Amino acid sequence: MKALLAKEWLEKKRNLKWIWLPVVFAILGLTQPLMVKFLPEILKAVSGIENSDVLLQMMGTQTSASILGQTLASQFDQMGIIIFAVATMGCISADRSSGMLAFMMTKPLRVSSYLSAKWISEGLTAFCALLIGYLFSVYYTVALFGKVEWERIVIAFFVYFIWFVFLVGLLILCSASFRSGAASASITVVVAILLTSITAVGTKWQMLNPAYLSQNAVAFLVDGKGLEHFVVCLFWTLGLIVLLYFAAFWVIKKKPLQTENH
């Protein structure tokens, strides 16, 4: 396992993913508070509207907690997912296409060890990128708009991270199932968009929607508590994450290790 993790670390070090991905999420994190702060002035300068209070009323009431929630539900749930999916789309398919997976499987290596190394590597990458972006958003939000309770900040982050881990697991499964990395990224992004869109329908079936955790993260920031059926959704999503792991294990076990050349 240590050797596999070292390989993953070396690969991310070579393509600088440990640097540029957190930087991108940091930019996403600071975008929302800066945009809310300076957008009225920008619109006033561009449109010539003198009364900026009208613009503020059009934007609605903006609190520190709601702005931080917008970072999760808007910046990370949209551009963040797309960027991470593109950055990680070839995590297994690239190994298969290059013959690296076939080479490693000739060694006394268990599929579970290989897959676990991928999960740990990609999960840790997602955690670091999200954490850095989130901390930037927290800093600028607090500096520009006021304090948010740290307990709410911490709980919201980990609730949102579970939703993101679900997407990481889906991406790994797709990468194990398809030859094309672009197909893996596209499917993951489309599923994320569909699940996020469904959250707009307020029904009790949201408890079966992993994207509902994103809304719960925002609720923890704004109200200090989760939405209805939060606990059910949490454990359901954790169960889906485990299911995604075993599905990827089965695919790697059954699918030919190396794509045939035609």
Side-chain angles (χ1 to χ4, degrees), residues 55-62:
L55 298 175
L56 293 175
Q57 292 175 5
M58 292 174 61
M59 295 174 64
T61 303
Q62 299 288 338

Coordinates of all heavy atoms in Angstrom, one line a residue, residues 55-62:
L55 N -29.6 48.3 -5.9 CA -28.9 47.0 -6.3 C -28.8 46.1 -5.2 O -29.0 44.8 -5.4 CB -27.5 47.4 -6.8 CG -27.5 48.3 -8.1 CD1 -26.0 48.6 -8.4 CD2 -28.1 47.6 -9.3
L56 N -28.6 46.5 -4.0 CA -28.5 45.7 -2.8 C -29.8 45.0 -2.5 O -29.9 43.8 -2.1 CB -28.0 46.5 -1.6 CG -26.5 47.0 -1.7 CD1 -26.2 47.9 -0.5 CD2 -25.6 45.8 -1.7
Q57 N -30.9 45.8 -2.7 CA -32.2 45.2 -2.5 C -32.5 44.1 -3.5 O -33.2 43.1 -3.2 CB -33.3 46.3 -2.6 CG -33.2 47.3 -1.4 CD -34.2 48.4 -1.6 OE1 -35.0 48.5 -2.5 NE2 -34.1 49.4 -0.6
M58 N -32.1 44.3 -4.7 CA -32.3 43.3 -5.8 C -31.5 42.0 -5.5 O -32.0 40.9 -5.8 CB -31.8 43.9 -7.1 CG -32.7 45.0 -7.7 SD -32.0 45.7 -9.2 CE -32.1 44.3 -10.3
M59 N -30.4 42.2 -4.8 CA -29.6 41.0 -4.5 C -30.1 40.3 -3.3 O -29.8 39.1 -3.0 CB -28.1 41.4 -4.2 CG -27.4 41.9 -5.4 SD -25.8 42.6 -5.1 CE -24.9 41.1 -4.5
G60 N -31.0 40.9 -2.5 CA -31.6 40.3 -1.3 C -30.7 40.5 -0.1 O -29.6 41.0 -0.2
T61 N -31.1 40.0 1.0 CA -30.4 40.1 2.3 C -29.2 39.1 2.2 O -29.3 37.9 2.0 CB -31.2 39.7 3.5 OG1 -32.4 40.6 3.5 CG2 -30.4 39.9 4.8
Q62 N -28.0 39.7 2.4 CA -26.8 38.9 2.4 C -26.1 38.9 3.7 O -25.7 39.9 4.2 CB -25.8 39.5 1.3 CG -26.3 39.5 -0.1 CD -26.4 38.1 -0.7 OE1 -25.7 37.2 -0.3 NE2 -27.2 38.0 -1.7

